[in-house]
Amino acid sequence: MFKPFINILSRTKEVKLGDAIHAFLREEGIETPLNEYRAEQAWGVVMGELIARYTTDVKVRGGNMYVQVNNAALRQELMMNRSNIVARINQHVGAQVLQQVIVR
């Protein structure tokens, strides 16, 4: 189970703890779901309290963020700024998690 991970931590080579953790997460298939969760949690932080207040649901699946907004004017504004939102959330998460934002 941990064979590839053990190779990273060989006694002859020093490895940074952060690099070892990232390798472990990647090997165990946990990295992508973890980053998707972090992107969902980042919505309120990145977009601000006012926008988060009008957002009823945020889900990330397969590189897409699905956002449910209950205000038509805000929905239109978010739709026009989708690429900027993707870049800001990816930057906040520190990984290329999102490819697009779908506003409903």
Side-chain angles (χ1 to χ4, degrees):
M1 178 173 161
F2 295 110
K3 192 165 191 119
F5 182 67
I6 291 171
N7 290 339
I8 292 172
L9 300 175
S10 68
R11 293 179 183 204
T12 60
K13 181 180 174 187
E14 290 183 16
V15 176
K16 293 181 181 178
L17 180 59
D19 293 341
I21 291 171
H22 284 290
F24 173 75
L25 293 174
R26 195 170 297 120
E27 288 292 326
E28 294 300 313
I30 302 170
E31 184 178 38
T32 299
L34 178 62
N35 283 337
E36 288 177 348
Y37 173 78
R38 291 175 64 207
E40 289 174 3
Q41 298 304 307
W43 176 261
V45 175
V46 172
M47 300 307 295
E49 184 181 324
L50 181 63
I51 292 175
R53 192 177 318 148
Y54 288 101
T55 304
T56 57
D57 193 27
V58 177
K59 298 285 184 216
V60 177
R61 299 291 176 261
N64 298 324
M65 176 177 270
Y66 300 92
V67 180
Q68 184 78 34
V69 179
N70 59 10
N71 181 291
L74 178 59
R75 184 181 308 113
Q76 186 65 30
E77 185 70 27
L78 293 175
M79 288 177 66
M80 292 188 313
N81 290 298
R82 289 181 290 184
S83 60
N84 184 28
I85 294 168
V86 168
R88 290 174 58 194
I89 291 178
N90 282 338
Q91 180 180 11
H92 183 82
V93 172
Q96 199 66 25
V97 179
L98 300 181
Q99 297 171 352
Q100 66 178 341
V101 173
I102 300 167
V103 183
R104 300 178 183 172

